C-alpha cells in the first residue's frame, strides 16, 4: 500500500494519523481550534513531537473548548508552564489563550470558524499532485492570505507555513501524493460534503 513520502511508516500512531485524519475536510469548529492550536505548538518542532503529546494537550486545554481556554487566567498559565506533557513555551501557551479569544470573535462574525476558514479556498479543496518530497510546498498564496488575515485579527503563531500545514491537515488542501492510496479516497468523498456549511 503506497503512502505519502513524508510519512515514517515505522510509527503506527503516525500512520494512523495519515490514514484517517490528514487531508480529510474538516468543518467542526472544536476540531479546527484543536488543529490550529497544535500547529502553532509545532512551530520549530516536528509534527510527530506534537502528535505524541496530543492527548496531553487535550487535557491541558479543556478538550479544545475555545470559550474555556479564552477564560484561562494567570494561575492556569503558570500551571501549564509546569505541565511536562505539553511544550512548556510561555509564548506559545499565552498565544493559545489569546487565539481562543480571537477564535470566538471570528465565530461571532461569521457564524462559525469553519465558514471563515473555508472561504480562503473558495469553499472547495485545492487538490495538488505531489510525487516526491521536493514537490511539497511550504506555503501558498491562499495560506499567505489566510495567515495575514489571522494576524490582522490578533492571532499569534500563525505564519503562512503554520497555516499551510493547518490547511493540509484540515483538508482545505489535498496534498496526498499522486501514488498515495488516501488521495483518491478523499477526493471521492467530496460530492457528499457541503463546503459552505458545517457538515
Amino acid at each position: 500500500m503506497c503512502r505519502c513520502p513524508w510519512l515514517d511508516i515505522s510509527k503506527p500512531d503516525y500512520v494512523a494519523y495519515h490514514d484517517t485524519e490528514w487531508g480529510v475536510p474538516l468543518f467542526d469548529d472544536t476540531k479546527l481550534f484543536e488543529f490550529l492550536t497544535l500547529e502553532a505548538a509545532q512551530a520549530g518542532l516536528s509534527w510527530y513531537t506534537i502528535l505524541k503529546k496530543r492527548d496531553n494537550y487535550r487535557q491541558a486545554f479543556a478538550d479544545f473548548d475555545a470559550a474555556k481556554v479564552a477564560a484561562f487566567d494567570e494561575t492556569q498559565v503558570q500551571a501549564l508552564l509546569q505541565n511536562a506533557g505539553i511544550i512548556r513555551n510561555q509564548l506559545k501557551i499565552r498565544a493559545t489563550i489569546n487565539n481562543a479569544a480571537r477564535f470566538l470573535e471570528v465565530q461571532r462574525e461569521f457564524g462559525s470558524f469553519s465558514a471563515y476558514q473555508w472561504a480562503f479556498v473558495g469553499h472547495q479543496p485545492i487538490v495538488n499532485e505531489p510525487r516526491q518530497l521536493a514537490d511539497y510546498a511550504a506555503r501558498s498564496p491562499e495560506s499567505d492570505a489566510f495567515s495575514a488575515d489571522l494576524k490582522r485579527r490578533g492571532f499569534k503563531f500563525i505564519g503562512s507555513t503554520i497555516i499551510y500545514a493547518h490547511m493540509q491537515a484540515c483538508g482545505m488542501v489535498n496534498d496526498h501524493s499522486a501514488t498515495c492510496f488516501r488521495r483518491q479516497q478523499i477526493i471521492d468523498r467530496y460530492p457528499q460534503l457541503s463546503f459552505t456549511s458545517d457538515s
Side-chain angles (χ1 to χ4, degrees):
M1 184 177 288
C2 290
R3 292 182 170 91
C4 293
W6 53 262
L7 180 65
D8 184 345
I9 60 172
S10 72
K11 298 181 169 85
D13 48 353
Y14 210 5
V15 172
Y17 169 72
H18 168 275
D19 288 1
T20 62
E21 292 188 83
W22 195 71
V24 175
L26 192 58
F27 307 97
D28 178 80
D29 271 13
T30 301
K31 294 293 289 182
L32 292 176
F33 180 63
E34 174 179 352
F35 275 106
L36 203 61
T37 298
L38 296 176
E39 295 293 354
Q42 182 207 342
L45 304 167
S46 74
W47 172 245
Y48 187 64
T49 296
I50 302 302
L51 188 65
K52 288 187 297 182
K53 296 177 180 290
R54 189 179 190 177
D55 287 341
N56 298 331
Y57 269 89
R58 191 170 284 130
Q59 293 171 19
F61 289 99
D63 288 321
F64 298 106
D65 182 320
K68 290 180 180 178
V69 175
F72 279 12
D73 60 18
E74 188 61 27
T75 299
Q76 286 159 300
V77 170
Q78 294 305 316
L80 289 167
L81 286 169
Q82 302 304 314
N83 186 338
I86 65 171
I87 303 301
R88 290 180 287 183
N89 178 302
Q90 183 165 189
L91 292 176
K92 289 180 179 180
I93 288 169
R94 293 188 185 278
T96 298
I97 298 167
N98 167 78
N99 290 352
R102 306 292 79 76
F103 193 92
L104 297 175
E105 291 168 359
V106 170
Q107 285 182 321
R108 287 192 289 270
E109 182 176 346
F110 291 88
S112 69
F113 193 86
S114 175
Y116 162 75
Q117 172 171 307
W118 278 92
F120 287 96
V121 291
H123 300 284
Q124 285 294 324
I126 295 170
V127 180
N128 294 320
E129 201 170 342
R131 294 184 176 276
Q132 54 191 1
L133 279 176
D135 297 335
Y136 282 87
R139 60 194 293 172
S140 68
E142 293 80 11
S143 71
D144 288 348
F146 188 2
S147 170
D149 197 67
L150 289 170
K151 288 178 181 176
R152 182 181 64 80
R153 295 173 180 277
F155 284 78
K156 300 181 186 301
F157 277 94
I158 41 74
S160 187
T161 299
I162 288 172
I163 291 303
Y164 189 73
H166 175 70
M167 292 169 69
Q168 290 174 309
C170 297
M172 295 171 74
V173 177
N174 184 338
D175 264 350
H176 282 280
S177 67
T179 56
C180 179
F181 83 100
R182 282 295 284 159
R183 181 178 185 275
Q184 192 60 46
Q185 284 183 351
I186 291 171
I187 291 171
D188 289 344
R189 288 189 59 223
Y190 291 163
Q192 305 163 31
L193 302 175
S194 170
F195 292 96
T196 56
S197 62
D198 292 350
S199 295

